[in-house]
Amino acid sequence: MAIFFLKKLGVIIPTFLGVTLIAFTFIRLLPGDPVLLMAGERGMSEERHARLMAKFGYDKPILVQYGHYLKDLMQGDFGTSIVTKQPVLKEFMTLFPATVELSLCAIFFAVLFGLPIGMIAAVKRGSPFDHTVMAGALTGYSMPIFWWGLLLIIFFSGILGVTPVSGRISLFYFFEPVTGFMLIDSLLSGEEGAFVSALKHLILPTIVLGTIPLAVIARQTRSAMLEVLGEDYIRTARAKGLTPSRIIGLHALRNAMIPVITVIGLQVGVLFAGAILTETIFSWPGIGKWMVDSISRRDYASVQGGLILIALIIMIVNLFVDLLYGLINPKIRHTK
Amino acid sequence: MAELTYNQGLDTRQSGRLELLKEFWRYFSENRGAVIGLIFFVVIIIIAVFADLIAPHLPNHQYRDAFLQPPFWQEGGSVKFILGTDAVGRDMLSRLIHGARYSLFIGCVVVSLALIVGVSLGLIAGFFRGWIDTTIMRLMDIVLSFPSLLLALVLVAILGPSLVNAMIAIAIVQQPHYVRLTRAAVMGEMSKDYVTAARVIGVRRLRLMFVTILPNCMAPLIVQAALSFSTAILDAAALGFLGMGAQPPTPEWGTMLAEAREFILRAWWVVTFPGCAILFTVLAINLMGDGLRDALDPKLKSS
């Protein structure tokens, strides 16, 4: 297991270096130099420009600059936002819980509905229910989620008026964040109605972000289940006279779960991409919206830092999923 | 005599290809969803090609007397604008029809770009192995470690927001999948006897790569191309929606949605129809892709 872990790490480190190299070169591909970018439209004198270039080390050879950049990264310095003058890491960490909360709810929603739907569809293969599920899953998979979000807003907020349109909690409530997770914070605050308000704000974004994972998980569960149900040991279990619920719930489900877990793990990157759109639609103050805003504000230091942090998080999660997978399935662990 | 046998050989080869095509169609047409998808896709192609003839109005013509006019079946609508008009009085239906052109164009360009670059890199990696392989695959790992939409967004920010740059960005983000698929397929083929035989005969390297090996790796690539066609349309629409794709007044579906956002609670039709157009197009292509996968590569069925 340790060798398996080291091998995975051996792939990740060069990949991460590559990621930093890309983020580093990207800011230099932009027209103008970083100092001019910071100065904005006001501009500055030649002499001051040269002094600032020297101050930030932009007059050094490019490789030396990259070295400095890497050193800063290792010390946890991901740059300073050009717009807010705050450290990028600090901004990222304040907004990150909002994205995590939304993503966790979305994946929970997707698993909660996707797993049983996929299982029932597999057991009742060829039935109208199965056909509906397959058609629904393909539709969900093809869904432009930014439009889906707008439709839900039209229906639930516009026509029915039951859900709020944007934000994480109603403006009537204010309390200091403790965990950064609004659901937990609102409970801790003890304010009446705060939790319900937070919950209401979460419903639509959760559905929007969870739609594609839900479709993928339902499809994957169905096909994994179908494959397992055709195995000999299931026939044996049937021949032994076990009840169908025991066969499906215990023998089949356990083995069908392996590919499903992988798919759930793979959804992390998809969730991040989805979070960009979902957060933009619902003005959800998370990483996705922050990245889009930073890009449109031309805050390239934030974009650069955010890009590296997001890639780092995805890599760590993928490593974790790989390890988990290796733990469940010895075949993976021992392949060369 | 020699010529005769040669010709006969050619004939069986041609009829063999026809047989293959027939067999493919038999499998493909068994899947009802795939056939529906195919029909819908052909209809969209026809609409896109003849957009100028079909569209009742010019896509960018503003009718100053008809802002946000609802579809004809609603009160206040008229048959002149069947699906209503947008905030500056442009006919929705005509814009949607012209939008089909952009979506198909985006799909074609992105898939061709990603396919050409991705397949070449994958072929090189799988054929030569060693450090070339490692370098290429690490590069692809780096691209894959970003969420695709985020990387495309940042690339467009660097290149400048426009439809062409959005297509380039999406192609870059998509091609690692082609590289991986091609490499895996090539590695599978390399150990087979016919490749060894071709080497022994002395077939040149380029010919060996592109003429001998590549055609045998096509099945998964065709399926991937179909599926990434739909992803390309979705991603381009998403970029357009975020203001980083096609720029107004281009009647691209995602851009239309972005323009319509502020009217969602007042005029449902400006939001609903462009989204339906995206959804149905993507759905049709995905249905077709599923059918292709089942017909071409039964092994991939469960994935």
Side-chain angles (χ1 to χ4, degrees):
Chain A
M1 198 64 208
I3 295 170
F4 180 70
F5 178 72
L6 285 179
K7 225 187 268 171
K8 288 279 167 205
L9 214 59
V11 175
I12 277 190
I13 289 170
T15 312
F16 181 66
L17 280 179
V19 165
T20 59
L21 192 63
I22 284 187
F24 174 81
T25 30
F26 133 71
I27 213 161
R28 272 151 193 80
L29 284 177
L30 293 163
D33 60 57
V35 172
L36 281 181
L37 217 61
M38 260 184 267
E41 281 163 14
R42 280 168 294 149
M44 59 173 64
S45 68
E46 283 283 319
E47 178 233 5
R48 189 172 149 72
H49 177 245
R51 208 172 60 233
L52 280 175
M53 286 293 273
K55 185 187 165 198
F56 292 115
Y58 289 131
D59 53 347
K60 302 231 169 55
I62 198 97
L63 268 179
V64 178
Q65 285 187 41
Y66 179 59
H68 280 297
Y69 180 65
L70 270 188
K71 205 179 102 198
D72 286 347
L73 281 186
M74 291 305 140
Q75 292 168 344
D77 178 6
F78 286 79
T80 308
S81 161
I82 295 171
V83 176
T84 60
K85 312 287 179 209
Q86 295 275 329
V88 171
L89 187 64
K90 195 180 151 204
E91 290 214 328
F92 190 92
M93 282 308 163
T94 3
L95 297 171
F96 189 53
T99 301
V100 174
E101 184 176 39
L102 177 58
S103 307
L104 282 179
C105 288
I107 205 79
F108 178 72
F109 164 79
V111 173
L112 187 71
F113 289 97
L115 262 186
I117 287 176
M119 272 172 62
I120 298 172
V123 173
K124 298 186 185 272
R125 184 183 192 175
S127 68
F129 179 81
D130 183 26
H131 288 304
T132 318
V133 166
M134 289 311 282
L138 201 65
T139 313
Y141 183 71
S142 313
M143 187 67 84
I145 61 166
F146 43 97
W147 173 68
W148 179 224
L150 295 179
L151 276 195
L152 291 179
I153 290 178
I154 292 181
F155 188 71
F156 287 103
S157 308
I159 299 175
L160 297 182
V162 286
T163 51
V165 178
S166 66
R168 292 180 79 188
I169 193 158
S170 160
L171 291 173
F172 298 125
Y173 305 101
F174 183 78
F175 37 81
E176 282 300 313
V178 185
T179 55
F181 294 100
M182 200 50 92
L183 285 180
I184 300 173
D185 283 354
S186 62
L187 270 184
L188 289 178
S189 75
E191 280 192 58
E192 212 176 312
F195 180 73
V196 177
S197 171
L199 202 63
K200 271 188 174 174
H201 280 80
L202 251 173
I203 293 175
L204 290 190
T206 298
I207 295 176
V208 170
L209 189 54
T211 298
I212 292 179
L214 169 65
V216 175
I217 289 171
R219 260 169 80 117
Q220 188 65 41
T221 310
R222 178 182 175 272
S223 68
M225 204 68 182
L226 280 179
E227 200 154 299
V228 170
L229 286 176
E231 297 281 341
D232 285 344
Y233 65 83
I234 295 293
R235 203 179 48 200
T236 311
R238 273 211 191 102
K240 268 167 46 184
L242 296 185
T243 57
S245 62
R246 198 176 162 78
I247 295 172
I248 291 158
L250 204 72
H251 293 247
L253 184 62
R254 211 183 266 175
N255 287 293
M257 277 311 284
I258 293 174
V260 175
I261 288 175
T262 324
V263 164
I264 296 174
L266 285 176
Q267 293 300 308
V268 179
V270 178
L271 276 178
F272 246 115
I276 295 172
L277 294 166
T278 313
E279 290 178 1
T280 307
I281 301 166
F282 292 99
S283 303
W284 188 265
I287 296 302
K289 186 173 185 307
W290 174 69
M291 284 301 279
V292 173
D293 290 346
S294 297
I295 288 172
S296 54
R297 282 195 302 239
R298 309 193 147 260
D299 184 352
Y300 291 115
S302 296
V303 176
Q304 189 182 28
L307 209 54
I308 293 178
L309 283 166
I310 291 173
L312 188 64
I313 289 166
I314 290 184
M315 274 187 231
I316 291 172
V317 172
N318 281 343
L319 175 71
F320 189 70
V321 172
D322 273 351
L323 289 181
L324 200 72
Y325 200 36
L327 218 57
I328 301 173
N329 192 348
K331 255 196 258 169
I332 305 272
R333 195 162 61 217
H334 295 298
T335 41
K336 287 279 175 318
Chain B
M1 189 64 197
E3 204 177 18
L4 197 75
T5 37
Y6 178 73
N7 277 341
Q8 273 172 346
L10 209 84
D11 276 342
T12 48
R13 211 158 122 196
Q14 264 171 359
S15 64
R17 267 188 196 157
L18 207 69
E19 267 317 298
L20 269 179
L21 216 67
K22 267 187 193 156
E23 193 190 315
F24 164 76
W25 178 248
R26 206 177 58 234
Y27 279 115
F28 186 82
S29 57
E30 255 176 31
N31 187 334
R32 215 187 320 151
V35 177
I36 296 172
L38 180 67
I39 293 170
F40 195 84
F41 189 62
V42 171
V43 170
I44 296 171
I45 292 176
I46 293 171
I47 288 177
V49 171
F50 297 106
D52 289 326
L53 298 173
I54 300 171
H57 304 274
L58 286 172
N60 290 335
H61 188 276
Q62 302 178 3
Y63 292 87
R64 306 273 157 131
D65 51 346
F67 296 144
L68 286 178
Q69 195 170 316
F72 77 94
W73 61 85
Q74 262 199 339
E75 213 185 309
S78 73
V79 192
K80 190 178 171 197
F81 306 110
I82 294 174
L83 295 182
T85 59
D86 66 7
V88 287
R90 294 174 295 201
D91 180 44
M92 286 297 291
L93 180 63
S94 307
R95 285 178 74 69
L96 288 176
I97 289 173
H98 280 269
R101 279 192 173 174
Y102 286 94
S103 283
L104 293 185
F105 178 63
I106 291 164
C108 289
V109 172
V110 168
V111 170
S112 320
L113 268 178
L115 198 67
I116 292 170
V117 179
V119 167
S120 307
L121 285 176
L123 204 53
I124 292 170
F127 191 84
F128 292 108
R129 306 302 307 274
W131 67 268
I132 300 179
D133 181 29
T134 315
T135 314
I136 293 177
M137 293 324 282
R138 276 303 89 77
L139 268 174
M140 294 308 124
D141 280 349
I142 293 169
V143 176
L144 283 175
S145 56
F146 296 105
S148 59
L149 186 65
L150 179 65
L151 188 59
L153 203 59
V154 172
L155 282 172
V156 174
I158 301 172
L159 298 169
S162 78
L163 187 61
V164 177
N165 290 341
M167 290 191 293
I168 295 173
I170 297 169
I172 291 176
V173 173
Q174 285 199 353
Q175 47 99 14
H177 301 286
Y178 290 96
V179 177
R180 285 191 164 180
L181 273 179
T182 315
R183 174 176 174 267
V186 168
M187 277 162 52
E189 294 298 313
M190 285 291 280
S191 58
K192 291 194 179 155
D193 286 343
Y194 77 91
V195 178
T196 320
R199 271 181 203 259
V200 171
I201 297 171
V203 175
R204 275 180 302 121
R205 200 180 266 169
L206 271 181
R207 192 184 160 82
L208 190 66
M209 281 164 76
F210 284 94
V211 182
T212 313
I213 298 177
L214 187 60
N216 293 301
C217 308
M218 284 316 278
L221 287 173
I222 293 171
V223 176
Q224 175 65 29
L227 295 177
S228 81
F229 198 101
S230 61
T231 322
I233 293 178
L234 268 184
D235 281 357
L239 287 179
F241 180 72
L242 293 171
M244 289 288 180
Q247 296 298 308
T250 314
E252 196 271 326
W253 294 334
T255 313
M256 285 171 73
L257 271 177
E259 289 175 58
R261 250 185 91 182
E262 45 186 308
F263 306 105
I264 53 171
L265 295 181
R266 273 204 287 148
W268 60 270
W269 57 94
V270 288
V271 178
T272 313
F273 295 133
C276 285
I278 301 173
L279 174 63
F280 290 140
T281 309
V282 171
L283 189 59
I285 298 167
N286 281 343
L287 277 170
M288 237 168 55
D290 273 8
L292 274 178
R293 187 184 55 198
D294 293 355
L296 286 175
D297 202 341
K299 267 180 294 178
L300 282 173
K301 220 168 186 170
S302 60
S303 63

